[in-house]
Amino acid sequence: MNILVMGAGQLARMMALAGAPLNLKVTAYDVNSDKIVDPVSNQVFALDLANAVAQADVVTSEFEHIPYPVQEVCQQSGKFFPNSTAIKAGGDRRQEKQLLDAAGVANAGYRIITNESEFYAAISALGLPLVLKSALAGYDGKGQWRLKTAEDAAATWTDIAAFMAGAEHTLPQAIVAEQFIRFDREVSLVGARNAKGETVVYPLTENHHVNGVLSVSMALPAPEDLQQQAKQMFDAVAAKLDYVGVLALEFFQVGDQLLVNEIAPRVHNSGHWTQQGADTCQFENHLRAVAGLPLGSTALVRPTVMVNILGEDHVDAAVLNIPSCHLHWYGKSKRPGRKMGHINVCGQDNAQLADRFLALAALLPTDKFLEVADVAKVFAARHQQS
Ligand code: ATP
Ligand code: MG
């Protein structure tokens, strides 16, 4: 079976690697170069988008910022999973917020802003502090502002107005003003839904961000009630979208309550641990869902930590001396802050994982892997046997 992925980055690459044993052949459409490529070898095929879509059995996506005309070609084919409505909801925070409300899942209070008077109306309605996020093209914390005090409002509006005037979008830009949530931690849920409406979800993953970018994800057995709460929200959102494929929900946890922060209509960075820690990895389950194959078990096989490699193309090979430690490079050229690869480390239990996570952190330079050593220490304090 031939599967065409919109986007030719590491997510398409890891789909291709996971699809090979199932005889699922993955090619990718590079949105930037307008070329059809092999996402592992980067070989370019002499095919245009329309022909590639026509030849594919299934069309899917690895990211949400696909130009609308490209999505239209995919949607028209009748074999685009997840559908264009789901991709658009992931790529536009206005649609995302409306979806969360329509699905009845808790999320941070918000207002949509397009001008100065709406900006001040949002401050009055929601109070301070506020997080302001561009509706379009936001990722990794880009296009975001924090407004803490009324005295800073005028300067923040000046920044936002300049951003909106300078943005090159074919779609109208807007800002979503959101209440600042004082969360206890951030967690995410990755799961899959098939065309029959069946769903499976992985255990909740605890996420640590540095400068708005995911740095560490930890997959441990989650409290049953919290897992249930997340699964209900997942099912509600996925059903509303008639979703097929892997979907990720990012949450703020406040006490025992989850609020959805955002959704990602695709395999997700916080699900990379599933390559070593789950019975079936998220990439295989995504392909199974879109190809109409039975979904695989999402059981946690062993507690696992994932560490992102950001802006570096080398790590000490000694990390491979750590038992159950696996290195995944994406074959990309080095750029500051760029997601270059990740490391998964597993243990039979949390205590063994804590030892190995500490050993891993000790091999990663602290100026390149910001806060990873601190996260490892906190984790060890919680789980290491004394
Ligand atoms: P990505 O797509 O990489 O996950 P993003 O740029 O789409 O990130 P968000 O996930 O919305 O942006 O925000 C980035 C981070 O900023 C969050 O993980 C969280 O730490 C913080 N944040 C976002 N919204 C809020 C909020 N309403 N209250 C408190 N913190 C927030
Ligand atoms: Mg996010």
Side-chain angles (χ1 to χ4, degrees):
M1 189 181 275
N2 289 312
I3 299 180
L4 177 67
V5 184
M6 295 298 107
Q10 68 268 20
L11 302 179
R13 172 187 168 101
M14 289 186 276
M15 280 184 215
L17 295 171
L22 289 171
N23 270 351
L24 299 173
K25 192 173 178 308
V26 173
T27 52
Y29 173 67
D30 184 335
V31 174
N32 302 316
S33 68
D34 187 31
K35 291 200 160 71
I36 305 296
V37 302
D38 179 320
V40 181
S41 69
N42 299 326
Q43 181 193 346
V44 177
F45 300 109
L47 263 183
D48 63 11
L49 176 65
N51 282 310
V53 168
Q55 286 178 21
D57 299 296
V58 171
V59 182
T60 187
S61 169
E62 66 146 24
F63 80 141
E64 51 274 29
H65 301 299
I66 307 168
Y68 279 20
V70 174
Q71 289 193 45
E72 191 57 28
V73 173
C74 299
Q75 191 62 33
Q76 284 300 324
S77 73
K79 49 195 177 188
F80 190 37
F81 303 107
N83 59 53
S84 185
T85 306
I87 306 286
K88 286 175 181 166
D92 185 331
R93 291 190 197 274
R94 282 165 289 201
Q95 296 179 41
E96 185 175 35
K97 281 297 210 177
Q98 284 153 8
L99 164 71
L100 298 177
D101 289 345
V105 300
N107 63 92
Y110 70 99
R111 279 282 203 286
I112 292 166
I113 295 174
T114 55
N115 59 44
E116 189 171 7
S117 66
E118 287 168 356
F119 171 72
Y120 284 103
I123 297 174
S124 310
L126 301 169
L128 292 177
L130 279 183
V131 181
L132 298 125
K133 304 178 178 182
S134 93
L136 300 167
Y139 69 100
D140 291 346
K142 295 192 175 69
Q144 290 199 13
W145 300 263
R146 304 282 147 108
L147 177 58
K148 292 186 181 133
T149 62
E151 294 80 72
D152 294 334
T156 301
W157 175 253
T158 305
D159 272 5
I160 291 175
F163 172 84
M164 286 179 60
E168 287 173 33
H169 284 295
T170 47
L171 300 164
Q173 178 62 292
I175 300 293
V176 174
E178 239 177 54
Q179 269 168 341
F180 185 87
I181 306 297
R182 288 182 179 80
F183 53 78
D184 296 309
R185 60 173 188 158
E186 292 189 81
V187 295
S188 60
L189 190 76
V190 175
R193 184 177 186 273
N194 67 16
K196 289 187 235 161
E198 297 163 337
T199 58
V200 290
V201 298
Y202 293 96
L204 277 168
T205 304
E206 179 178 316
N207 300 318
H208 295 266
H209 296 85
V210 178
N211 301 325
V213 182
L214 184 68
S215 167
V216 176
S217 285
M218 308 199 283
L220 315 167
E224 191 53 39
D225 46 346
L226 205 65
Q227 181 76 22
Q228 279 306 325
Q229 196 184 135
K231 167 81 158 66
Q232 266 172 19
M233 290 169 145
F234 178 93
D235 285 344
V237 172
K240 198 88 212 158
L241 292 168
D242 196 16
Y243 199 91
V244 177
V246 162
L247 167 72
L249 265 54
E250 295 180 19
F251 302 98
F252 301 128
Q253 184 180 342
V254 186
D256 297 332
Q257 283 296 117
L258 296 177
L259 295 178
V260 177
N261 171 27
E262 57 172 357
I263 68 158
R266 53 173 167 81
V267 290
H268 193 254
N269 197 166
S270 72
H272 290 0
W273 65 267
T274 60
Q275 290 168 313
Q276 265 75 43
D279 205 337
T280 313
C281 78
Q282 63 164 349
F283 304 100
E284 178 173 339
N285 254 337
H286 179 70
L287 295 176
R288 288 192 190 206
V290 301
L293 297 169
L295 299 175
S297 159
T298 49
L300 182 82
V301 175
R302 45 187 183 170
T304 301
V305 166
M306 186 231 49
V307 177
N308 265 343
I309 304 172
L310 303 170
E312 292 300 309
D313 58 3
H314 173 264
V315 296
D316 189 338
V319 302
L320 297 175
N321 279 327
I322 301 168
S324 304
C325 189
H326 297 263
L327 195 44
H328 298 261
W329 289 113
Y330 307 152
K332 300 201 290 197
S333 53
K334 188 169 155 171
R335 250 196 263 134
R338 194 176 199 193
K339 288 180 177 169
M340 300 292 291
H342 66 273
I343 303 168
N344 287 334
V345 60
C346 319
Q348 282 317 307
D349 51 36
N350 292 349
Q352 190 180 57
L353 176 56
D355 290 340
R356 292 174 180 174
F357 188 13
L358 278 180
L360 171 62
L363 291 170
L364 302 174
T366 51
D367 59 329
K368 306 278 170 46
F369 290 81
L370 301 174
E371 299 179 24
V372 171
D374 306 323
V375 175
K377 276 184 206 135
V378 171
F379 182 76
R382 260 196 270 161
H383 298 290
Q384 236 173 2
Q385 272 145 6
S386 47

